[in-house]
Amino acid sequence: MKIIIAGLLIMFISGCTKFPRTINIYNFQHFTLLDTIYQEPATYRQYDKDDGGYPIYYIGKIQDTIGIGDRYLPWKNKLPKDRLWDTSVRFFSPEKMTMHVDTSVKTCIEGTYGNDRDSILNTHAYLLCIHNVSDTALWLGKDLSLAYLYREVQNKRGIWVKIEKMPSEMDICGTSQRYVILNPDEIILAKVIRYKGDIPAKCRLVMKRFNQIVYSNVFVDQVERSLLD
């Protein structure tokens, strides 16, 4: 009943906005996801090795029902106070954190363009779930697109190759960004952009800072053929 009421409420609000939206419902083992996306047709992003970023849509406890809509923005979403120098906060590691890309969730990353923000650009995406399985808070960087996360593909020789930059490697002003702190047993729901491609390949996400490395599950997505050479 809660899911139905929440869905109807979002549909009512969406109908009153400039850009109509729709709700996709996904049932997982521990929660139900209400994913509100724009109804505009989605496209695949043109691959660019200097591109990257995995926008966050939710940070918090696992609940029976979790609703996501617009991505988190520094000037819009309030996060816990910065705890970088708190002795209880630790850096991420594979023993403390898991990452899972769910290709069953066919979602979109939204964007607006035009002089008056009068158009919506929808890009195909998958869902990424990051889970803090430790008993300490984890620091994941200073960026709401996950500063230390990037994608690798497995080439024809079976070697994993980095194909995009991390946000921390880009020339981006971080003044307004927030430290991303993931408390024990909390999750982050982010989205994985899907590029234009002409061949399926094995992919994985990597979160890396110095010698701290966490890998996601391996998933298959389309990529440019040249990336496998």
Side-chain angles (χ1 to χ4, degrees):
M1 179 61 71
K2 290 181 180 179
I3 296 174
I4 295 175
I5 294 174
L8 290 174
L9 178 60
I10 296 174
M11 290 177 64
F12 173 76
I13 295 173
S14 299
C16 299
T17 61
K18 183 177 181 180
F19 303 110
R21 303 193 190 197
T22 189
I23 303 170
N24 293 325
I25 301 176
Y26 301 93
N27 294 305
F28 301 111
Q29 182 177 357
H30 299 294
F31 65 94
T32 296
L33 176 68
L34 302 182
D35 181 23
T36 304
I37 59 175
Y38 290 100
Q39 294 179 5
E40 293 294 316
T43 60
Y44 294 92
R45 181 178 293 180
Q46 185 64 47
Y47 169 71
D48 183 347
K49 65 180 177 61
D50 294 322
D51 201 0
Y54 296 81
I56 294 173
Y57 287 75
Y58 177 80
I59 303 177
K61 291 289 186 182
I62 298 175
Q63 307 175 48
D64 291 340
T65 303
I66 297 175
I68 60 175
D70 294 330
R71 63 184 295 177
Y72 277 25
L73 297 170
W75 58 88
K76 181 179 178 181
N77 298 93
K78 293 183 178 180
L79 297 182
K81 292 183 178 180
D82 292 345
R83 299 172 58 191
L84 181 58
W85 307 116
D86 188 331
T87 56
S88 67
V89 177
R90 298 290 185 267
F91 294 117
F92 58 85
S93 69
E95 297 80 22
K96 298 181 174 68
M97 188 181 83
T98 63
M99 298 196 302
H100 183 79
V101 178
D102 194 327
T103 58
S104 71
V105 179
K106 306 299 193 295
T107 185
C108 297
I109 294 176
E110 76 289 343
T112 56
Y113 64 96
N115 293 333
D116 299 317
R117 301 273 187 199
D118 56 356
S119 299
I120 288 291
L121 179 63
N122 254 354
T123 307
H124 289 292
Y126 288 139
L127 185 73
L128 168 65
C129 182
I130 300 175
H131 186 196
N132 181 353
V133 295
S134 74
D135 57 1
T136 59
L138 302 178
W139 180 81
L140 303 186
K142 190 180 182 182
D143 193 307
L144 291 179
S145 290
L146 296 168
Y148 299 105
L149 191 63
Y150 62 90
R151 185 181 323 202
E152 292 182 341
V153 299
Q154 191 175 57
N155 66 17
K156 294 177 180 178
R157 298 179 297 279
I159 300 172
W160 288 100
V161 180
K162 180 180 178 182
I163 65 167
E164 63 188 12
K165 286 185 176 181
M166 299 181 288
S168 61
E169 296 175 309
M170 301 176 191
D171 187 18
I172 300 174
C173 178
T175 303
S176 62
Q177 290 289 349
R178 302 285 189 268
Y179 288 115
V180 178
I181 305 295
L182 191 60
N183 289 314
D185 205 33
E186 286 188 345
I187 62 172
I188 286 176
L189 296 180
K191 292 187 178 182
V192 180
I193 200 75
R194 300 186 64 192
Y195 297 115
K196 291 181 180 178
D198 50 13
I199 188 171
K202 291 182 179 179
C203 305
R204 68 182 182 186
L205 301 186
V206 184
M207 187 172 287
K208 181 178 180 181
R209 183 178 183 272
F210 302 126
N211 62 341
Q212 300 147 348
I213 304 176
V214 179
Y215 296 102
S216 77
N217 59 308
V218 175
F219 62 97
V220 175
D221 201 9
Q222 298 292 120
V223 301
E224 290 186 359
R225 190 178 300 270
S226 60
L227 294 174
L228 304 184
D229 293 337

